[in-house]
Amino acid sequence: MNILITGGTGFLGSFLCERLIGENHTVFCLDNNYTGASENVQSLLSRKNFSFIERDVVEPISDDLRLPKIDQIYNLACPASPPQYQGKAAIKTTKTSVIGAINMLELAKKDGATILQASTSEIYGEPLEHPQKESYRGNVNPIGVRACYDEGKRCAESLFFDYYREESVDIKVVRIFNTYGPRMNPRDGRVVSNFIVQALKNEDITTYGDGKQTRSFCYVDDLIEVMIRMMNSPKGFAGPVNIGNPGEFTILDLAQKTIAKTNSKSKIVFRPLPSDDPTQRKPDISLAREKLGWSPQIALDEGLDKTIAYFKQKLGLN
Ligand code: NAD
Ligand code: UDP
């Protein structure tokens, strides 16, 4: 198949490119390298069935791209780390989510492609229901600093379902919960990469708030597997489907585990909690189990070991 991956040089996108090239598909990776990097797909650049298109997803797809008829689109383009999508990047983040979704849905409509949206657990905001089921409609602050991401992704979901109802586009929507692994950018700002890098350098571990907030962490390999299963699920099953690992940990648990696993001399320090930071989050993955026959295989301990090994090498600490 001809497969287009937007956000393909990012953390998740680069694993997806690799996996689909491994399955002998022809892959077009479209990215503006805002938080991604061409080096993440370096090993694929010489493959004749792989093309990197340096481009902003906000720009409409035009003939100059010379794309063949596309069979599948994975729409991942969007910064995912709060420090990368907030502040000066906020307006652009909403444009990326909303205009990017429209551009990709139009392409899917023109080519009759199946299109998968990388949505997020953030659409539940500060959840009042725990764990979160897909039927929960969320509790988002529409004017807060996270809204550019949360509301941008909510609007993208709404567009996906309108293209499904009005234009019969074959859509798939997954709501991804915190996912981590090798190839996260060390300066990305998300908690797993921050803590591992800080611990390996024996620097203070920056815990925001009292560290009692929870997250559920999924290892990248598990996530890529279920994204591909969802893309290839029977036509008419659009989701949304929660995907993530339901194991729930406090941020302090994560800090302590990371220090222990790296034999670090780091101390845990407390920093102000960012605005609208969700207090707790854990996916109900019954739907993914039932419809996609999937459940995560890699527990946090094992995934952290693999991720620590990657960062040791990346930072030259082997
Ligand atoms: P990432 O920041 O590593 O990847 C995002 C990619 O999108 C980067 O390569 C970036 O350069 C690209 N991008 C951003 N704006 C763009 C634009 N305007 N045009 C073209 N490319 C653009 O993050 P990730 O963790 O790999 O996330 C990938 C997708 O999955 C995102 O849509 C994110 O919202 C979603 N997601 C990820 C997680 C997670 O925990 N990793 C959780 C929920 C949702
Ligand atoms: N966090 C932290 N220290 C850091 C980075 C993040 O304590 O150096 C906290 C953050 O406040 C949040 C949790 O870890 O409560 C997860 O943050 P992340 O940015 O990874 O993801 P998200 O908030 O989008 O779930």
Side-chain angles (χ1 to χ4, degrees):
M1 283 187 281
N2 291 323
I3 302 181
L4 175 66
I5 302 176
T6 76
T9 65
F11 162 51
L12 296 178
S14 61
F15 280 95
L16 200 52
C17 287
E18 229 169 58
R19 168 85 183 255
L20 295 170
I21 285 288
E23 293 175 4
N24 284 324
H25 297 293
T26 298
V27 172
F28 299 88
C29 163
L30 183 150
D31 204 301
N32 66 354
N33 281 342
Y34 170 54
T35 51
S38 308
E39 82 175 71
N40 287 337
V41 293
Q42 192 65 42
S43 64
L44 304 177
L45 291 172
S46 59
R47 303 286 289 261
K48 68 176 189 329
N49 53 339
F50 181 80
S51 313
F52 172 51
I53 304 164
E54 190 164 353
R55 178 107 166 179
D56 196 310
V57 80
V58 172
E59 284 177 45
I61 295 290
S62 52
D63 290 344
D64 64 292
L65 290 182
R66 296 177 195 283
L67 285 174
K69 187 168 171 295
I70 296 293
D71 301 298
Q72 296 186 334
I73 303 170
Y74 289 86
N75 188 35
L76 272 64
C78 186
S81 169
Q84 307 292 341
Y85 66 65
Q86 296 177 2
K88 292 208 163 91
I91 295 168
K92 181 60 193 266
T93 298
T94 303
K95 286 184 184 169
T96 296
S97 276
V98 176
I99 303 174
I102 294 173
N103 288 339
M104 291 307 127
L105 284 160
E106 284 293 328
L107 177 64
K109 179 177 140 187
K110 174 174 87 58
D111 283 1
T114 305
I115 178 165
L116 179 143
Q117 168 67 357
S119 190
T120 167
S121 54
E122 281 284 323
I123 66 111
Y124 299 123
E126 169 68 13
L128 302 177
E129 184 180 301
H130 193 74
Q132 294 80 52
K133 287 196 181 72
E134 291 85 352
S135 54
Y136 179 49
R137 293 184 184 179
N139 177 32
V140 169
N141 174 3
I143 57 166
V145 291
R146 290 174 95 97
C148 57
Y149 183 72
D150 300 7
E151 299 288 17
K153 290 281 187 179
R154 286 172 71 96
C155 184
E157 282 201 18
S158 153
L159 283 162
F160 267 67
F161 279 87
D162 285 334
Y163 271 80
Y164 176 59
R165 286 183 288 250
E166 275 182 52
E167 306 285 0
S168 302
V169 172
D170 187 15
I171 64 153
K172 309 280 176 190
V173 176
V174 288
R175 293 180 178 158
I176 305 171
F177 284 64
N178 299 61
T179 301
Y180 68 97
R183 226 180 266 156
M184 292 182 91
N185 186 327
R187 289 175 302 284
D188 171 271
R190 281 177 275 185
V191 70
V192 175
S193 45
N194 269 11
F195 282 6
I196 292 178
V197 171
Q198 289 164 347
L200 289 173
K201 292 181 168 173
N202 294 310
E203 293 172 352
D204 289 346
I205 305 281
T206 54
T207 299
Y208 303 158
D210 60 10
K212 292 190 182 136
Q213 69 272 35
T214 68
R215 293 292 187 274
S216 300
F217 298 103
C218 186
Y219 188 68
V220 59
D221 290 0
D222 280 330
L223 197 93
I224 298 299
E225 172 63 29
V226 71
M227 280 177 97
I228 291 174
R229 285 193 195 195
M230 180 62 180
M231 175 61 102
N232 295 292
S233 64
K235 197 175 162 82
F237 177 57
V241 184
N242 287 340
I243 56 175
N245 190 322
E248 186 182 6
F249 298 86
T250 67
I251 296 307
L252 262 183
D253 289 335
L254 181 72
Q256 282 152 358
K257 263 184 193 299
T258 309
I259 290 174
K261 283 178 177 297
T262 49
N263 284 323
S264 175
K265 297 189 182 65
S266 294
K267 288 193 289 296
I268 295 175
V269 298
F270 295 91
R271 297 281 178 262
L273 188 69
S275 184
D276 290 334
D277 197 287
T279 312
Q280 55 178 2
R281 190 187 280 157
K282 170 186 163 91
D284 180 320
I285 58 163
S286 316
L287 190 63
R289 282 189 214 274
E290 182 201 333
K291 296 281 189 188
L292 307 171
W294 174 86
S295 58
Q297 304 298 307
I298 301 166
L300 182 59
D301 275 303
E302 187 186 345
L304 276 182
D305 289 341
K306 290 170 188 269
T307 311
I308 289 167
Y310 165 82
F311 277 107
K312 264 190 189 156
Q313 197 185 25
K314 176 98 186 159
L315 301 176
L317 299 171
N318 265 341

